[in-house]
Amino acid sequence: MRLMPTVLLGVVLVAGCNADRVTGVTQVDHQSAATVKRLHVALTISAELPEGRDLREGDTVAVTARVVDSVGADVATPDIEWHGGVFVDISHRSAKLVVKGGTTYIIAVAVDNGVSLASASTRVDALPNAGELVIWNLDDGRITRVTPPKDAYLIAPAAMNDHDVVTGTITYAGGVKRPFVWSRDDGFTEIPLPSPTTEGASMGINNDGVVVGTLSSHFWNWGSVFTWSREAGLSILDGDTSWAAAINNSGDVAGGKKGAPFLWRSTTGFTLFPGAGTASFAGNEAYTSSAVAITDDGAVLASWTGRYADDVDYSWIWDSYPTIWTGNTKTDLKCADCVVADMNNAHEVVGLRWSTRTTFRWSEHTGLESLPMAEYAASKVFAINDNGVSAGAVASSAGVYRAAVWQSSGLVVMPDLSRMSTSKATDINDHGHVLVYVR
């Protein structure tokens, strides 16, 4: 076990304050006819953190209180009263606090025989739990954990290529989103955005390290599809109300443009397919359809995207099916309540059925097959590799999701990690390495 360095987070000084996370020192002196006693309380806060990382939600900090008199001598007092957070392991003058995202206030109060008292408080600022990336090797069970940049509020891994290079989106303070690439050799690289772009999200990466994503001046106003690589930098493919979904190993890109799925090739530019149709909820139309995945031979998996009334009653009325476009040839999945997530080079498709809340695998030979859930109450699926292994998550009856894969031998759930509350597998490459988001 590697010992983490102890980081001093905040100190309340006996005379005044100069720590940047300290809110102040308060003294209250009670006089009696016989004596005047002055008490002072000093708080010291520390935590064992990985080098370079700030305090985050779920971390534990140690708080120590010292009580002295007016000449600096330690005073024997009753137990300190601790307030302001979820305290564990409280003793006479020390305690441990599990911090939450945002701001936690810690207050210590000391009382001396009911005659004189003093109090002190300090503020602990903890970043939200941004989560972490995990690469899970199915062959040997080895797990690689990747901590996000220290100022990240949220990290969303989208895709991983066969070289274990990951791409996705990091959210910073204020909800600002930036596309990133991570590799074992280079760590995190934020993809630079051209002016006047203010936000971006990356969605896919091929084995040559070419990333595809979408740029925007506002998160809900996507407008420009881009590609990026370390060698070629950033290129804008289209700036006319379009968004990216995936890229294949030939550099072909699939996504959505003005409500219809598209295929982009460097030789032919954009090809728009007919929209997947409309859906209605209480008379309100869903407004768009988009590509979801693309194979190396250029086949495009398309599906609807839209809005529904809430997350409880998915009472859509459908008039179309998810579709595979191979050139001008159209193959319908003939599943009116299916939401597709991914397709491999064998044209096997995975997704979710709203009516049964179950996940499925589809091929032209077998049709629709449900993925087993074993003893779990729910499941989600996000990816399938060329070996037919699907990746997603399964949930307990309490609604806690854990990353899982579906192999030919059945369902395999990722081993639990310390401090892990929920996880999901967002991609899997052809080496059986699974990209997992843990939070």
Side-chain angles (χ1 to χ4, degrees):
M1 178 180 295
R2 184 169 66 91
L3 296 178
M4 302 299 183
T6 298
V7 180
L8 191 65
L9 298 177
V11 179
V12 178
L13 302 179
V14 171
C17 328
N18 62 7
D20 60 354
R21 293 182 182 175
V22 171
T23 58
V25 176
T26 304
Q27 294 179 206
V28 181
D29 297 313
H30 291 263
Q31 298 186 21
S32 67
T35 183
V36 174
K37 296 185 178 181
R38 297 179 183 275
L39 298 180
H40 304 262
V41 180
L43 294 179
T44 301
I45 303 169
S46 61
E48 292 185 352
L49 301 174
E51 185 176 355
R53 182 168 78 74
D54 287 342
L55 193 69
R56 286 193 178 274
E57 181 175 359
D59 288 333
T60 300
V61 298
V63 189
T64 303
R66 184 187 178 207
V67 184
V68 299
D69 61 19
S70 57
V71 296
D74 287 319
V75 176
T77 65
D79 287 349
I80 302 295
E81 297 180 18
W82 299 98
H83 304 280
V86 180
F87 287 92
V88 294
D89 193 22
I90 295 177
S91 63
H92 178 59
R93 292 188 184 179
S94 64
K96 291 184 178 179
L97 171 72
V98 179
V99 297
K100 296 182 178 180
T103 301
T104 301
Y105 288 89
I106 304 171
I107 302 173
V109 179
V111 180
D112 183 18
N113 298 326
V115 175
S116 184
L117 63 86
S119 66
S121 66
T122 184
R123 189 182 74 194
V124 176
D125 293 316
L127 292 173
N129 180 2
E132 62 180 332
L133 305 181
V134 166
I135 298 176
W136 171 28
N137 189 327
L138 293 181
D139 288 338
D140 58 15
R142 180 165 45 92
I143 289 176
T144 302
R145 302 177 71 166
V146 182
T147 301
K150 65 178 184 178
D151 51 350
Y153 269 53
L154 185 67
I155 189 163
M160 178 173 67
N161 67 16
D162 286 341
H163 307 296
D164 290 355
V165 182
V166 177
T167 192
T169 305
I170 293 176
T171 301
Y172 295 100
V176 176
K177 294 172 174 59
R178 297 286 190 268
F180 76 87
V181 173
W182 176 89
S183 69
R184 299 180 193 274
D185 293 335
D186 300 310
F188 279 95
T189 299
E190 186 176 300
I191 296 175
L193 305 183
S195 179
T197 302
T198 58
E199 294 188 307
S202 53
M203 301 301 295
I205 184 169
N206 66 16
N207 287 338
D208 291 327
V210 181
V211 173
V212 68
T214 311
L215 303 176
S216 173
S217 58
H218 188 277
F219 182 63
W220 294 113
N221 184 29
W222 295 118
S224 302
V225 172
F226 75 88
T227 60
W228 176 91
S229 69
R230 294 187 185 278
E231 296 76 20
L234 188 139
S235 299
I236 304 295
L237 303 187
D238 184 71
D240 188 12
T241 318
S242 56
W243 55 95
I247 186 171
N248 67 13
N249 287 320
S250 300
D252 304 330
V253 175
K257 179 179 172 66
K258 294 185 175 180
F262 75 73
L263 167 65
W264 178 91
R265 283 177 164 151
S266 59
T267 54
T268 58
F270 281 87
T271 298
L272 293 181
F273 301 105
T278 59
S280 62
F281 180 91
N284 298 319
E285 283 192 339
Y287 59 88
T288 189
S289 58
S290 174
V292 174
I294 184 171
T295 61
D296 286 342
D297 63 3
V300 173
L301 174 64
S303 183
W304 57 268
T305 57
R307 298 175 179 174
Y308 42 81
D310 54 47
D311 290 331
V312 178
D313 184 6
Y314 300 96
S315 300
W316 289 93
I317 301 172
W318 308 106
D319 64 5
S320 67
Y321 301 116
T323 301
I324 299 172
W325 289 95
T326 307
N328 292 322
T329 302
K330 175 183 176 183
T331 302
D332 286 328
L333 268 63
K334 301 188 183 304
C335 177
D337 65 337
C338 287
V339 180
V340 290
D342 196 19
M343 177 174 65
N344 65 15
N345 282 320
H347 295 194
E348 295 174 317
V349 176
V350 291
L352 176 71
R353 295 196 71 172
W354 286 128
S355 59
T356 59
R357 311 296 199 272
T358 56
T359 50
F360 68 85
R361 180 191 295 112
W362 177 94
S363 74
E364 203 165 6
H365 301 293
T366 63
L368 210 65
E369 298 178 311
S370 295
L371 295 175
M373 294 194 301
E375 73 275 16
Y376 294 93
S379 61
K380 299 178 180 180
V381 64
F382 301 102
I384 183 171
N385 69 10
D386 285 342
N387 300 314
V389 181
S390 305
V394 290
S396 66
S397 56
V400 178
Y401 277 91
R402 290 177 59 188
V405 297
W406 287 267
Q407 299 176 306
S408 58
S409 58
L411 174 68
V412 180
V413 180
M414 189 178 79
D416 200 4
L417 303 179
S418 61
R419 296 178 54 214
M420 183 177 72
S421 58
T422 186
S423 64
K424 64 179 181 180
T426 60
D427 202 5
I428 180 171
N429 66 25
D430 290 341
H431 298 301
H433 298 174
V434 186
L435 176 62
V436 179
Y437 172 61
V438 177
R439 190 179 187 193

